Structure formats: C-alpha cells, structure tokens
Amino acid sequence: MTTALSKQSLLFMTFSLALTRFSYCSVANANVNSNIPAIANHFGTKGRYEEVNRYLINDILSVNKSILKPVCTNSTAIHVTAIIRHGTRYPSTKNIKIMQRLYDLVLNEAMNTDKWLKDIKTKWEMWYTDDMDGKLVEKGRDDHRHLAVRLATLFPSLISEENLRAHRIRFITSSKHRCVDSIVAFQEGLLNLWKVTEVGPSHKINDELMRFFDQCQKFVEDVENNQTALEEVHLFKASAEMKRVQMKMADQLQVPYNRITPDLVEAAFFLCSYEFAIKSLNSAWCNLFDETDAQVLEYKNDLKQYWKRGYGHDINRKSSCNLFHDLFNRLDQAAREIRFGHVSEAVSIQVGHAETLLPLLALMGFFRDETALTADNFDVQNGRTFRTSRIVPYAANLLFVLYDCSEGLRLQFLLNETPQNFPDIMHQAPLYDTVRETYRELLQGCNFEKECELSRPNSEL
C-alpha cells in the first residue's frame, strides 16, 4: 500500500522550522527546571525524547556533531537505514479508562487538603477521551519533523533534496495511524527544510516488517496470549516495593489502603508522564511520586518490556528475523552497488513501534545484562543496561550507517543519535565484514516462518 504526502498538508506547514525552533527554545529557556518533573527520566516507553538528549531542550534542532568522529580517512557515507519509533501519542483507551477511575476516586474520596491536590480537584479536568486511543499528538508530529531536520544535518550527502527527487529515499511504515502520521510528519520536516512545495514523497505500509510480532504465531500464542509469560511482572506488582508505593500514595491522598491498587498507582504515574510528554507540564499528579517511587515504577515497566519484547522469552527476539534480514539485505545491496559507483537506495526510513525496536535490539545482543530482570532482584538492577527510558522513548531511532573507506566498508550504529558499539566489537565503526561475521549464524538462519511456527501436538505428527 502506497500513500503520497498531499499538497494540502504541506501548505499547512507554511511557517518555517526556524519559527518552530524559536518558539520551542523560548519556552524551554523559561525556567526549564521547574517545568520538568524530577522523575522525568524514569518514564520508560512514555518518556520524552529530549530526556535522552538533554541538549535538545534548549535547541530542538541542534546536532552534537562532535560525537560523530570520522570513521576513517576520507570516509563517505553511502547508505543509512533508520528504524524509528512513532512520536508522542495519546494514552490507549485501556489506560484512559483506568485514569478516569483514579480521577473519580481522587475527586470523591481524597481527603488531603494540600494545594497540589486542591489543584487537581478544582483546576484539572479529565480531558483524555476514549476516542484518542493512542493517536499521535501534535508534539509527536514535531518529534518527527525535528528528527528529520537533525538527521539531514548529520548526513547531508544522504538525506538530501537531490536524493529525495531521485527517489533514493524510501519510506516504510506500520499501518497504525500514529506511525503513518509520524512518517508524514518526517517527510514534512524534510520538505519544509528544503522549501519544497510540490506534492511530496510517498510511503509504503508494511506490517510484515514493522509489526512482525502480530504475524508471529508462536509469539502470539506463547507470549501475547499467555498469562504466565509475564509472571515476573505479576509477582513484582505484589512485591514489597510496590506495596510501599501503594501505601505512600494512599497516605498522600488520605484514602484507605485497599482503595489504591497497583493499576491505580500506574495510572497516576501515566498521568504525570502524559501531561509532561504531551503538554510539557509538570503536573500536580507528579507530586504523588518521588525518585524512589519512580525507580520502582520504571522497573515494573522494564520488567514488562524485558519479558514481552526483550530477552525474557527467546521468541521475542526471533520474531524480528524478517526485520533483521531486511536490514542486512539493504546494507548488502549498498555494499554491492558501491563497487559500480552508484547506490540506488541511499536512505531507508522505517517507522514502527517500541515493540518493533526492542526485539531487534535484543536479537542483535544490545543491552543484555548478565543477570536477567526478575521480580525479586530489583535491588541489584540499578545499574542495568536494559532501561527503556534510555532506549525507546517516543521517536527513538536506530541508525545503521554504511561508510566507504579505503580499507573497506565500515558500519556505524547509532541509538537515538548517539554512536554505540556493536556487542563484542570494540571499534565504534567496525568493518562491515566483521559485523557480518559477528551475526553469521543469524544471517544464515533466523528463519521467521520456522521460528514462528507453532509446535504441533505429537498426535498430529
């Protein structure tokens, strides 16, 4: 399925990104610290991208070029594949319903008379509605417009107007509206940067790549629809750490302890995070949590992602085989074509979900801790590398950049615009052949159909 960016949507963006930048910076510089919740860096998959790269708070279009050291003498970037999460979105209908339950409880039962709680009761209204259901917000569109400009600044020879006009930049997205809207916003960012006003580029919807988890029967059966698959999460929700957060929240609201469930604690945490991510507000809801509370709730979220999308179950990783092979097919094609002096696809922009990025990262061995995340080892996991707040905030991005060097091709990986070493490879931009050798077993295997096939009962064999 292919969709073109309409001329009408381009006309909507007649104001330049310079004005957006000025507006954003003016707000950001106005008493920045007071507008940012102290717990903002613990919001997990509901965190702002700016909390990962704090320099963006003062200038949303700034690029830290100093971190992109030349990978070799006279290096030339010949291809980049960018796998990007959608931008900031509204809560799901499921979460909105729980947030409504919490709001009703606070209005009708909370007895505390502190100013922050009075503000919730008298000034804040439940403005989230069921029909929002995960849709992209305007901040989410800006996430992608601004990311597009920054990536064009980082890789000007690849993400260029010339390559766009020559159809050397390809766009792929999940079918979900928040992803489609994100990729359209990314295109808008480029077209506005280059002041291109004619009808813009098209995009293709490909759920086999960007929503592979829906297509993997073994994952759906063994994890998605299996209540025991997230047993560690359920155990942690009943842990002493979570009980302490529940009791503290009940004390703050002055309601009976049995009125505050783990789901309502999480709903309050979500309200704090969504108000900040969507509106840049340090909401009164954030007063319910301190740093210690936030660490507990962040760990609960990481546990869920670890066991549902990461290393917890092998099929989580293996479900991303098709995306893994697609990535290396694109890199291999560029590697072959550069020998003849021209690469047909300079850039591949692919927009999906946190559930798209995390399994691929796990398949490739990134952020694997020596000790698995479990319900009973919260105390020893403070230094864990599997931390979704840092890995997959809104608009998180995986960049694979192929360079042509005199000694051969080199591949650099960037997470959220910051270079990262491949697991077990010390060089920040190793030879492409070295990377392929590291992943040789996956490249020769990792068959999606085989990995995702449900085991048949013996009686059917």
Side-chain angles (χ1 to χ4, degrees):
M1 181 176 180
T2 304
T3 309
L5 184 63
S6 69
K7 195 167 187 177
Q8 184 178 9
S9 66
L10 294 178
L11 293 174
F12 179 74
M13 291 191 61
T14 53
F15 290 107
S16 70
L17 279 168
L19 289 176
T20 304
R21 184 183 205 163
F22 175 80
S23 175
Y24 187 94
C25 294
S26 297
V27 172
N29 287 324
N31 200 6
V32 166
N33 291 333
S34 66
N35 290 332
I36 300 177
I39 59 175
N41 59 337
H42 297 294
F43 287 152
T45 57
K46 295 170 178 58
R48 285 198 323 175
Y49 189 78
E50 292 90 328
E51 303 317 303
V52 173
N53 293 322
R54 297 299 296 269
Y55 59 87
L56 296 176
I57 294 173
N58 291 324
D59 185 352
I60 197 63
L61 298 181
S62 64
V63 172
N64 187 4
K65 286 188 175 181
S66 64
I67 62 175
L68 288 180
K69 300 175 183 177
V71 301
C72 60
T73 304
N74 298 322
S75 62
T76 302
I78 63 171
H79 175 86
V80 58
T81 287
I83 304 172
I84 311 172
R85 186 189 178 197
H86 59 74
T88 306
R89 64 168 175 82
Y90 288 117
S92 65
T93 297
K94 177 184 175 182
N95 284 335
I96 289 172
K97 289 182 184 299
I98 302 173
M99 288 155 57
Q100 180 69 58
R101 279 172 43 208
L102 172 67
Y103 181 55
D104 291 342
L105 182 145
V106 168
L107 282 183
N108 298 319
E109 301 182 39
M111 302 299 291
N112 193 335
T113 58
D114 287 351
K115 182 181 181 302
W116 64 269
L117 191 56
K118 285 183 178 178
D119 286 345
I120 290 177
K121 288 185 171 185
T122 60
K123 297 181 180 179
W124 193 86
E125 293 185 3
M126 181 61 184
W127 62 276
Y128 300 98
T129 55
D130 289 356
D131 61 336
M132 291 176 174
D133 195 22
K135 292 177 182 175
L136 199 71
V137 302
E138 191 59 29
K139 170 63 167 63
R141 292 180 175 84
D142 282 341
D143 290 338
H144 275 256
R145 290 168 184 148
H146 297 148
L147 177 62
V149 174
R150 294 197 303 272
L151 294 188
T153 304
L154 283 172
F155 307 107
S157 64
L158 294 178
I159 305 178
S160 66
E161 180 181 352
E162 179 183 359
N163 282 340
L164 184 72
R165 292 183 182 278
H167 304 289
R168 296 180 67 222
I169 303 178
R170 311 282 167 78
F171 298 92
I172 298 171
T173 177
S174 151
S175 62
K176 291 293 183 179
H177 44 64
R178 54 186 170 273
C179 295
V180 173
D181 290 345
S182 290
I183 207 163
V184 168
F186 190 99
Q187 294 168 339
E188 288 174 349
L190 296 180
L191 297 175
N192 194 59
L193 173 67
W194 300 324
K195 297 180 172 56
V196 176
T197 57
E198 61 262 33
V199 174
S202 62
H203 61 260
K204 291 184 178 180
I205 290 174
N206 188 337
D207 281 343
E208 287 188 6
L209 278 186
M210 309 317 293
R211 291 186 62 83
F212 50 76
F213 40 89
D214 286 341
Q215 322 278 332
C216 182
Q217 301 250 339
K218 184 173 176 59
F219 169 79
V220 173
E221 185 75 17
D222 292 356
V223 181
E224 183 75 45
N225 295 337
N226 182 0
Q227 292 186 356
T228 65
L230 300 184
E231 182 65 19
E232 295 296 331
V233 181
H234 303 320
L235 289 171
F236 190 71
K237 287 173 74 172
S239 68
E241 290 87 358
M242 278 295 294
K243 289 290 185 186
R244 182 193 60 77
V245 178
Q246 285 175 247
M247 293 175 69
K248 179 184 171 186
M249 182 168 155
D251 285 339
Q252 286 185 282
L253 295 175
Q254 293 184 16
V255 298
Y257 290 139
N258 63 2
R259 298 294 288 136
I260 301 299
T261 64
D263 285 346
L264 290 184
V265 171
E266 193 166 51
F269 196 56
F270 286 165
L271 278 166
C272 173
S273 64
Y274 279 118
E275 293 287 280
F276 181 56
I278 297 172
K279 293 185 171 183
S280 298
L281 292 177
N282 187 352
S283 166
W285 291 102
C286 299
N287 286 279
L288 286 166
F289 307 102
D290 60 19
E291 180 83 7
T292 302
D293 304 328
Q295 289 173 357
V296 171
L297 293 167
E298 179 186 31
Y299 188 70
K300 184 265 174 187
N301 180 62
D302 286 352
L303 265 182
K304 178 182 177 182
Q305 299 301 331
Y306 184 90
W307 287 94
K308 193 171 184 179
R309 306 295 176 182
Y311 292 103
H313 301 286
D314 196 48
I315 190 58
N316 297 346
R317 302 183 301 120
K318 296 295 180 62
S319 65
S320 69
C321 286
N322 278 352
L323 184 58
F324 173 82
H325 285 300
D326 178 81
L327 166 65
F328 277 91
N329 286 341
R330 293 176 191 279
L331 295 170
D332 286 347
Q333 178 180 330
R336 288 192 302 270
E337 290 179 345
I338 194 59
R339 291 181 295 176
F340 301 98
H342 178 75
V343 175
S344 58
E345 182 184 271
V347 182
S348 175
I349 304 295
Q350 305 175 1
V351 177
H353 310 261
E355 298 90 339
T356 308
L357 277 62
L358 283 173
L360 180 64
L361 286 169
L363 183 69
M364 299 182 72
F366 291 98
F367 309 110
R368 183 164 199 164
D369 297 289
E370 289 186 14
T371 305
L373 277 64
T374 62
D376 60 4
N377 66 3
F378 167 74
D379 289 340
V380 300
Q381 290 288 7
N382 190 50
R384 67 188 181 278
T385 62
F386 191 90
R387 193 179 294 272
T388 57
S389 297
R390 309 297 299 170
I391 303 170
V392 282
Y394 294 121
N397 49 87
L398 317 181
L399 308 176
F400 298 87
V401 191
L402 194 61
Y403 289 90
D404 188 16
C405 300
S406 57
E407 67 272 25
L409 299 176
R410 290 188 176 274
L411 183 65
Q412 186 176 48
F413 170 65
L414 296 89
L415 172 70
N416 301 326
E417 303 172 67
T418 302
Q420 303 276 334
N421 285 5
F422 287 95
D424 302 321
I425 301 178
M426 297 306 296
H427 199 289
Q428 201 170 79
L431 290 169
Y432 182 52
D433 286 344
T434 302
V435 178
R436 292 192 98 265
E437 179 60 27
T438 298
Y439 294 113
R440 178 168 52 86
E441 290 187 14
L442 288 173
L443 288 167
Q444 293 177 353
C446 203
N447 182 283
F448 180 84
E449 285 72 22
K450 181 179 178 181
E451 298 292 348
C452 290
E453 183 181 15
L454 286 172
S455 300
R456 289 181 296 169
N458 291 335
S459 60
E460 296 182 17
L461 298 177

